[in-house]
Amino acid sequence: VLVHGAAIDTFAAETGRIRPMNSALSDLGLTPFFTQQLTTDEFDRCRIARVTAVQRSEIIVNDGEGEHAVAPGGNWYQRSPEERPTVGDWLLLDIDQDKLVRLLERKSVFKRMAVGTKAELQLIAANIDTLFIVTSCNDEFKESRLERYLALATEAGVDPVVVLTKADLAADPDVFRDRVRTVNRNIPVEIVNTLDGDTLRGVTAWITKGVTVALVGSSGVGKSTLLNTLSGRELMATGEIREQDAKGRHTTSFRSLHLLPGGGLLLDVPGMRELKVAQLDKALDSVFDDIASLARQCRFGDCDHNAEPGCAVRAALDAGQLDERRLNNYRKLVREEQRNSSTLAEKRQYERQFSRHVKEAIDHKRRRDDD
Ligand SMILES: Nc1nc2c(ncn2[C@@H]2O[C@H](COP(=O)(O)OP(=O)(O)O)[C@@H](O)[C@H]2O)c(=O)[nH]1
Ligand SMILES: [Mg+2]
Ligand SMILES: [Zn+2]
């Protein structure tokens, strides 16, 4: 039985089971999208809590009354990355024991291809409403990186906002706003000095009560400083030097969801040097909609846009209507996406075959034992 949105408060009040739903939880971002997933039985047996951090062996959750660690137990760590709790997830916990009952369906999920040799997807955060793509008004700014982040945001189902930092150090910060516009005409842009709270009003307007915002961007662009200034506290270490210990090793920095004093939740995502794309589905065609619609006008359906006759993409390049850099980045991302997605598909097929073999072997043994 599903309990629907508006009915929940009445339901909870009538039955005295008010634990799963209170205003502290809605401040944490709980909406009917999630509460509708609970059965009446789960209302009896479970508590709802949001994952604010995931560390090696424990999960930190906030249940509206505060944060505490829960050990997931069971076989959670053997599950595929997408079935494991990540920062921002909503969990159902056993009412007495804090045992993990299940993960609620996600509204959005931000993921990348894992860095290194392991061919698997890695979840970065779940149930993010708005993604702040943080980049600086200096040489760090790259259109191609912005396009990559936009593709990931589009695929995740998250609204992007570009936050241009270090405006105080730039001769003309508006130049960078114009460069963002060449990538996407409609994406909102906020120009800030993260050290100066007075410049953050535009940014704050995005982080209203119950809204979850994640910060992504290269190291050194000012993500942690932005979080600290907005929270009025030194929550995260900032600057290149303090992210390393005395021996120059990177200190363990983990993703953590912070409730801001003015409402809203902010997640600083450190260590995002590599953001490999996979399983983008239609996101690339949406981010590069200009190229996609030109390609539809090419004479040949399978045009490579190299030297084919009647190529609308080439024609746009020659006419100066399309940037060569943009086309090259589109091709690069398409190749990367195809390579990684097929690696993932192969791995899944292998795992399916493997578990089928194991099952067959067990069945075979059982039949023999029964004889
Ligand atoms: N002048 C200026 N410095 C900034 C700004 N944002 C960040 N910084 C500095 O840049 C360095 C890196 O900032 P940090 O927040 O650690 O970047 P993160 O790696 O993205 O978390 C720090 O020394 C900050 O003080 C800004 O808007 N203006
Ligand atoms: Mg940082
Ligand atoms: Zn073409």
Side-chain angles (χ1 to χ4, degrees):
V1 185
L2 283 178
V3 181
H4 285 279
I8 282 174
D9 284 331
T10 353
F11 173 78
E14 280 168 4
T15 54
R17 299 175 203 122
I18 47 168
R19 269 216 267 185
M21 188 67 174
N22 58 40
S23 71
L25 284 173
S26 48
D27 287 354
L28 286 170
L30 188 67
T31 60
F33 176 86
F34 303 104
T35 50
Q36 278 169 8
Q37 298 178 38
L38 269 77
T39 62
T40 46
D41 184 46
E42 284 172 335
F43 260 98
D44 280 341
R45 293 190 296 113
C46 302
R47 280 188 303 152
I48 304 180
R50 189 156 197 203
V51 178
T52 56
V54 177
Q55 288 162 12
R56 211 149 293 163
S57 58
E58 56 183 22
I59 295 171
I60 312 294
V61 298
N62 191 328
D63 58 5
E65 284 164 30
E67 288 190 316
H68 67 279
V70 297
N75 61 351
W76 284 90
Y77 279 82
Q78 287 155 24
R79 300 199 181 184
S80 74
E82 283 166 283
E83 291 173 277
R84 277 180 241 155
T86 190
V87 172
D89 263 325
W90 283 101
L91 305 180
L92 290 187
L93 302 172
D94 192 282
I95 208 151
D96 315 308
Q97 296 165 29
D98 251 3
K99 244 179 35 208
L100 199 48
V101 175
R102 72 178 174 105
L103 209 72
L104 293 184
E105 189 200 323
R106 295 163 177 141
K107 198 185 120 199
S108 67
V109 58
F110 195 61
K111 56 196 171 189
R112 65 167 170 184
M113 194 72 182
V115 183
T117 49
K118 250 207 213 152
E120 66 175 28
L121 283 175
Q122 204 173 54
L123 299 194
I124 296 162
N127 302 319
I128 300 298
D129 300 299
T130 305
L131 189 72
F132 281 2
I133 302 173
V134 187
T135 176
S136 300
C137 298
N138 56 34
D139 286 349
E140 184 276 334
F141 184 96
K142 295 275 184 301
E143 283 83 354
S144 295
R145 187 189 298 115
L146 187 54
E147 286 161 352
R148 178 181 290 268
Y149 278 118
L150 283 177
L152 287 159
T154 304
E155 172 59 20
V158 175
D159 298 326
V161 172
V162 175
V163 178
L164 287 168
T165 62
K166 308 195 183 184
D168 53 311
L169 302 177
D172 186 4
D174 283 327
V175 169
F176 295 91
R177 187 199 303 272
D178 293 343
R179 287 175 67 183
V180 175
R181 293 267 176 271
T182 66
V183 169
N184 183 306
R185 254 163 291 141
N186 306 315
I187 186 168
V189 179
E190 301 293 345
I191 298 184
V192 304
N193 166 7
T194 66
L195 297 157
D196 176 4
D198 289 341
T199 70
L200 301 180
R201 271 182 223 121
V203 159
T204 312
W206 292 102
I207 324 171
T208 50
K209 222 181 238 311
V211 168
T212 307
V213 177
L215 302 168
V216 292
S218 309
S219 180
V221 293
K223 299 181 297 296
S224 300
T225 311
L226 180 62
L227 173 62
N228 289 344
T229 304
L230 289 173
S231 67
R233 286 193 294 157
E234 249 332 78
L235 289 171
M236 299 292 284
T238 60
E240 301 299 331
I241 296 143
R242 290 176 55 190
E243 280 183 7
Q244 298 180 347
D245 66 11
K247 286 176 184 158
R249 292 176 303 207
H250 279 275
T251 51
T252 39
S253 45
F254 56 90
R255 292 160 300 188
S256 179
L257 197 57
H258 298 281
L259 196 55
L260 297 184
L265 298 111
L266 204 53
L267 172 69
D268 184 358
V269 183
M272 299 291 283
R273 247 166 307 167
E274 275 188 276
L275 266 173
K276 293 255 173 269
V277 301
Q279 295 194 322
L280 282 187
D281 205 23
K282 296 277 172 284
L284 284 177
D285 281 354
S286 152
V287 171
F288 295 91
D289 58 343
D290 51 342
I291 298 176
S293 79
L294 283 168
R296 280 193 293 273
Q297 293 161 42
C298 293
R299 187 178 304 163
F300 301 109
D302 60 348
C303 185
D304 281 329
H305 322 307
N306 285 317
E308 289 92 337
C311 174
V313 173
R314 279 279 134 200
L317 274 179
D318 294 342
Q321 289 157 351
L322 175 64
D323 193 359
E324 183 118 42
R325 178 212 58 78
R326 186 168 164 86
L327 177 62
N328 288 340
N329 194 40
Y330 172 66
R331 289 177 148 159
K332 181 182 173 196
L333 290 173
V334 167
R335 278 197 304 271
E336 187 177 309
E337 200 281 331
Q338 287 171 345
R339 196 165 54 237
N340 289 337
S341 291
S342 67
T343 308
L344 286 173
E346 274 168 32
K347 186 181 170 235
R348 278 195 189 152
Q349 195 182 355
Y350 172 80
E351 283 167 353
R352 264 199 305 274
Q353 272 168 2
F354 180 76
S355 65
R356 198 168 60 229
H357 288 322
V358 170
K359 193 178 170 300
E360 278 166 7
I362 292 170
D363 288 350
H364 183 70
K365 185 177 179 303
R366 257 197 215 123
R367 277 197 301 276
R368 259 199 348 223
D369 292 348
D370 289 346
D371 288 344

